[in-house]
Amino acid sequence: MAPSTVGPSSDPVMADDTPVDLRAAYEGTGVGDVLDQLDRELIGLKPVKMRIREIAALLVVERARKQVGLATAAPSLHMSFTGHPGTGKTTVAERISEILHRLGYVRKGHLVTATRDDLVGQYIGHTAPKTREMLKRAMGGVLFIDEAYYLYRPENERDYGAEAIEILLQVMENNRDDLVVIFAGYKDKMDIFYQSNPGLSSRVANHIDFPDYTAPELLSIAKLILAGESYRFSDEASIAFSDYIQRRMLLPFFANARSIRNAIDRARMRQANRLFNHMGRGHTKRDLITIEADDITASSVFQGKVEGLDRSLPLT
C-alpha cells in the first residue's frame, strides 16, 4: 500500500488502515523460543515470567509501530531485580539479553555480571577506569550488577561508590539504545539504595520482584536438575528429599534453587561413594542413575545440625 502522506522528516506515513501482522513480527524474531526456554528452565515464578512477556510484547509492538512510520522512542529498559538468592535472577537476565538482541535493541545480546569490586576502586582515580572498563565490556548487551546496594556506603566518607554510580547514570542515559543495566539484590536493601539515589531510581523503569520458591516447586526443581544430569530419585528418595527441603528451608543461609543444586551435588557424591564401596557387587545402569533415600538422609540436616554457621566446616 502506498503511503498517504510524507512526514516532516520525509519518512513515509502509512494510512491508518495499513495492515499490521503482529504474529508474524513476533514469530519472525524468535523471541517466543527464548520465552519458552525460560519456562523450561525455571519452575514457577509466574509473576516474573508474566512481566518479561509484557516487556517482550511492548518491544514487539514498538518494532511494528516503527515499521508503519509511527514515531517511536527507545523505551527505558533498565531494570531492578529484587529477591533472595537462588530465585533465578541471573537466568532471567540472560534470557532478557537474548530477547533484546533478537528484537534489535542491543547489538550483541551478551550478559556481563559485576559486583562492587568490579566497579569501585580503593583509591583516588581508580574507580572511573574500573567502571568504564566494565561498561565497555557490557556495551551492546546487559550489565547485571549483583548486590548493587554495596555500591553506596554513605557511612564511609572516603568511599568511591558514589563516583561509580555517577558514571553509571551518565552511560545509562546516553547509551540507553545499546546497553541495559540490571540492578539486583535483597528487596529491603534495594529500596534503601534507591531512596538514597533518586537519580538512579528515576532511570530504572522496570522493577521485578522474584518470590521465594515453595517446597513443591523446590522438589520439582530438584527433579529437573536430576533429569538434566541423567539421574532420578527412587520413590523413597523423593519422599526423603521432600522432608529434606522442609528442614533445610528453616535453616540459615537457605538460597532457594541454589541450595537445592548443592544438595543434589552432595547426594550424587554419597551415591557414588555408596556404589564405590560395594564395587564387588553386580551393578546395573539403574544403579548408576538412581538416588536412594540413604543418599539423602545421610545429610547433617537430618541430624539437627545447623549448616552454615561455621564456615570452616563443609555443608553436608
Side-chain angles (χ1 to χ4, degrees):
M1 179 179 295
S4 60
T5 61
V6 176
S9 62
S10 297
D11 291 332
V13 178
M14 304 295 182
D16 286 355
D17 60 352
T18 300
V20 175
D21 191 341
L22 284 179
R23 179 177 294 277
Y26 173 71
E27 294 178 350
T29 62
V31 168
D33 295 337
V34 181
L35 293 173
D36 291 342
Q37 182 182 4
L38 192 61
D39 281 333
R40 292 193 303 270
E41 289 178 329
L42 294 179
I43 300 294
L45 297 180
K46 288 184 179 180
V48 174
K49 293 175 180 177
M50 182 178 297
R51 187 63 183 277
I52 300 307
R53 287 183 179 275
E54 290 173 350
I55 293 172
L58 170 65
L59 299 181
V60 170
V61 170
E62 284 295 303
R63 185 185 177 103
R65 285 171 54 87
K66 185 176 181 179
Q67 290 173 347
V68 296
L70 291 171
T72 59
S76 177
L77 296 172
H78 302 306
M79 303 180 189
S80 174
F81 287 1
T82 54
H84 290 118
T87 50
K89 295 187 291 295
T90 304
T91 299
V92 171
E94 290 172 347
R95 298 299 156 255
I96 285 176
S97 67
E98 290 184 46
I99 290 171
L100 296 176
H101 178 55
R102 295 193 182 208
L103 288 169
Y105 281 85
V106 292
R107 288 176 293 114
K108 300 178 182 178
H110 63 303
L111 179 74
V112 174
T113 301
T115 63
R116 173 189 165 87
D117 289 344
D118 298 308
L119 299 166
V120 182
Q122 298 179 348
Y123 50 84
I124 294 175
H126 192 207
T127 294
K130 289 191 71 171
T131 302
R132 294 191 186 282
E133 175 60 27
M134 290 303 298
L135 287 166
K136 181 180 178 181
R137 287 175 53 191
M139 202 61 65
V142 173
L143 176 62
F144 182 85
I145 304 177
D146 200 14
E147 296 183 311
Y149 33 75
Y150 288 131
L151 291 176
Y152 184 69
R153 291 179 174 173
E155 72 281 359
N156 184 354
E157 62 181 17
R158 298 185 62 185
D159 185 72
Y160 303 111
E163 183 181 357
I165 292 174
E166 182 179 349
I167 295 171
L168 284 168
L169 286 172
Q170 293 173 355
V171 175
M172 286 168 63
E173 184 64 27
N174 297 336
N175 298 85
R176 57 188 298 182
D177 58 343
D178 198 36
L179 175 71
V180 170
V181 179
I182 300 176
F183 299 91
Y186 289 101
K187 180 171 175 51
D188 54 347
K189 293 183 179 180
M190 291 299 290
D191 287 344
I192 296 173
F193 175 62
Y194 290 126
Q195 291 169 10
S196 303
N197 298 276
L200 183 60
S201 178
S202 65
R203 286 172 172 79
V204 179
N206 302 281
H207 292 256
I208 303 176
D209 188 44
F210 287 64
D212 289 334
Y213 290 108
T214 64
E217 287 173 340
L218 290 169
L219 180 59
S220 296
I221 288 170
K223 292 180 177 180
L224 189 64
I225 293 172
L226 286 174
E229 298 174 349
S230 298
Y231 284 88
R232 67 189 179 199
F233 285 135
S234 67
D235 291 342
E236 294 78 9
S238 183
I239 295 171
F241 200 79
S242 293
D243 189 8
Y244 172 91
I245 290 171
Q246 296 287 351
R247 295 167 183 257
R248 186 65 185 89
M249 291 175 73
L250 299 175
L251 298 180
F253 312 111
F254 179 66
N256 286 278
R258 195 175 303 164
S259 290
I260 298 304
R261 160 66 71 181
N262 292 339
I264 292 298
D265 287 344
R266 294 195 292 273
R268 287 179 54 196
M269 292 179 65
R270 295 191 201 98
Q271 183 241 32
N273 191 54
R274 172 172 54 81
L275 296 175
F276 186 80
N277 289 336
H278 297 90
M279 65 174 65
R281 298 179 183 177
H283 292 304
T284 66
K285 177 182 176 181
R286 182 179 295 105
D287 295 319
L288 297 179
I289 66 177
T290 304
I291 303 294
E292 300 289 355
D294 288 348
D295 303 325
I296 307 299
T297 56
S299 167
S300 61
V301 169
F302 288 92
Q303 302 169 23
K305 295 182 180 179
V306 179
E307 292 186 315
L309 290 181
D310 187 344
R311 295 301 181 94
S312 67
L313 298 176
L315 296 176
T316 60

